[in-house]
Amino acid sequence: MRTAISAGVDGLRRWSRRPARTWVRRAALAAVLLVMAPMVVGAVALRSSYAGDPGAGTRSRGRDAIWLGHAWVDGRKGEGDLDAFAARVRETGIHDLYVHAGPLEHDGTLPSSRYPRARWLVDGMHRRLPGVRVQAWLGDKLATEGPTGLRLERAATRTAMVDSARHVLADGGFDGVHFDLEPMPSGNRRFLELLDAVRPVTRAHHATLSVAAHQIDPVPRLHSAAGKIAGHPKWWSQAYFGQVAERVDQIAVMSYDTSMPLESLYGGYVAQQASLALEVTPKDTDLLMGLPFFQTETMGHHASAETVKAAVRGVRLGLGRTDRHREHFGVALYVDFTARDRDWAAYDKGWN
C-alpha cells in the first residue's frame, strides 16, 4: 500500500512539474482552432454555393455595362479607338458606358476642363452603337477614414455635387451620371440625401442615375463590426443596399477585391452576393454584378482566384437560385484599360 501511495505521489509531482510551455502551446492551439473553425465553415459554404448548374435563362439581358478610363474624354483617344471599341462590344450585352469624367474636387465641384472631349465621345458612341448610354463616371475619395477627401456631411459639398451632375449632363451631353464614392460606410444618410437631390436633375434631362455599390455583408453585422475595428468598413448591410437601390435607376456591385484565395470560393461568394442584392433591389432598378477585368495582386485581390470565368458562373448561379426571370439584371466590366483578350472571351462565352 505504501509503495502504491508513493508511486501516486511521485506521479502527481511529475504532472505538476510539466513545463508551462506545454499549456501555452495547448492554449495557442485552442485559440487557432477557435479562429479557424468559422473560416472553415465559411469556406465550405462558399464552395457549396459554387456547385450546381445555373440552368437556362441565366444569361445576358442586354443590360451590361463597362467602366471606361479618362483617356476617352481628355484627348488621348481618337476615331480609330472608337471604331475598335464599337466593333468589340457590338455583339455583346453592353448597354451602358461609365466614362471617367472626374475626379470631383473635394468640395464637390467639377471643372469642365476635366472632360473636354465629352461631346465628341458621346456623339461618336451614339453613331456607332445606337441605343448605348454614355454616363459620366464621377468619383472621389471620401474623408471617412482619413483627414482628406470629400465630405458628404457638408451641405455645400452635396449642393456642389448636384450642380456638377447638372453640368455634365448639359455641357458634356452625357446620358447619365454614375457616382463612385469610396469608402462609403454602411448607413450613411448623407449619401441617400445626395441621391434624393440628384434624382430630379437626371429625370429633368431624361438621364440615368447610377451608383457603384459596396458588397453586402454576407454575415449580418459580423464583417461590418470587424471592419470598424480595423478602420475600413468594407461591407454594406443588406438593408442599406436596398435603400440605395430604391433611389437610383441602376446599381453596380463592386463584386471584386474579396481576398478570396481560390476560384471556387470567389465564385461562391459572387453567387451569394448576387442573391443578397437581388432580394432587396426593386424590380425596375437595373442590378449589375461587377466582373474583374484587371489583374493586380494584393491582399484583397488574387488574380488567380478572381477570374471572369468564376465571377460569371457565380452571377448565373445567384440569379438562377434567387430570381431567374429578373429582366433588369446584368454584369459590369471593370475596367477597359486593363482588360485582356481572355477576359473578353470568358465574358462572351459565359454570359452572352
Side-chain angles (χ1 to χ4, degrees), residues 66-69 72 77 85 293 333-339 344:
I66 183 171
W67 281 277
L68 300 178
W72 288 99
K77 296 286 189 180
F85 178 80
F293 271 46
L333 290 48
Y334 184 86
V335 61
D336 75 308
F337 52 81
T338 58
W344 283 106

Side-chain angles (χ1 to χ4, degrees), residues 63-78:
R63 295 179 180 272
D64 303 337
I66 183 171
W67 281 277
L68 300 178
H70 203 81
W72 288 99
V73 292
D74 67 4
R76 283 177 285 170
K77 296 286 189 180

Side-chain angles (χ1 to χ4, degrees), residues 7-18:
V9 171
D10 290 343
L12 181 61
R13 287 171 178 169
R14 287 195 299 273
W15 179 86
S16 66
R17 291 198 299 268
R18 284 184 180 179

Side-chain angles (χ1 to χ4, degrees), residues 29-284:
L29 177 59
V32 170
L33 291 175
L34 188 64
V35 172
M36 291 296 294
M39 295 175 63
V40 171
V41 172
V44 171
L46 291 180
R47 182 61 186 86
S48 299
S49 183
Y50 194 56
D53 180 9
T58 58
R59 290 186 179 272
S60 178
R61 278 92 162 108
R63 295 179 180 272
D64 303 337
I66 183 171
W67 281 277
L68 300 178
H70 203 81
W72 288 99
V73 292
D74 67 4
R76 283 177 285 170
K77 296 286 189 180
E79 294 292 330
D81 298 301
L82 278 175
D83 291 337
F85 178 80
R88 181 66 196 79
V89 305
R90 186 171 286 116
E91 299 303 320
T92 70
I94 290 178
H95 181 253
D96 286 277
L97 314 177
Y98 305 143
V99 185
H100 192 261
L104 295 164
E105 296 291 335
H106 290 342
D107 63 1
T109 59
L110 180 67
S112 58
S113 59
R114 295 268 166 85
Y115 50 93
R117 297 270 283 168
R119 285 281 181 181
W120 165 82
L121 173 67
V122 174
D123 292 343
M125 288 293 187
H126 285 172
R127 286 196 304 271
R128 292 168 174 82
L129 300 167
V132 164
R133 298 183 299 201
V134 186
Q135 300 191 43
W137 168 12
L138 305 181
D140 192 20
K141 175 184 177 181
L142 297 179
T144 52
E145 297 179 7
T148 61
L150 189 148
R151 297 183 180 277
L152 281 177
E153 66 271 19
R154 295 177 178 171
T157 299
R158 297 196 303 276
T159 298
M161 295 174 72
V162 174
D163 289 339
S164 295
R166 182 180 294 108
H167 291 152
V168 294
L169 294 174
D171 302 336
F174 287 101
D175 302 309
V177 175
H178 176 77
F179 283 113
D180 178 12
L181 304 171
E182 305 175 50
M184 179 73 69
S186 181
N188 191 312
R189 298 296 306 176
R190 301 307 184 188
F191 184 44
L192 302 182
E193 291 175 14
L194 171 68
L195 298 176
D196 287 339
V198 174
R199 194 70 180 271
V201 174
T202 55
R203 284 176 171 169
H205 285 82
H206 305 287
T208 302
L209 174 58
S210 67
V211 295
H214 286 29
Q215 297 159 30
I216 299 174
D217 195 339
V219 181
R221 293 185 294 277
L222 176 62
H223 293 85
S224 295
K228 289 177 181 177
I229 295 173
H232 182 62
K234 177 178 180 179
W235 290 270
W236 284 356
S237 71
Q238 189 183 37
Y240 184 67
F241 186 97
Q243 290 173 345
V244 173
E246 289 172 354
R247 288 167 164 81
V248 298
D249 302 303
Q250 190 175 68
I251 185 167
V253 185
M254 296 180 284
S255 43
Y256 37 75
D257 292 340
T258 66
S259 299
M260 293 296 162
L262 301 172
E263 262 191 316
S264 58
L265 299 185
Y266 173 61
Y269 182 84
V270 173
Q272 183 189 59
Q273 286 291 306
S275 292
L276 290 170
L278 281 163
E279 288 172 358
V280 293
T281 302
K283 296 287 187 180
D284 57 351

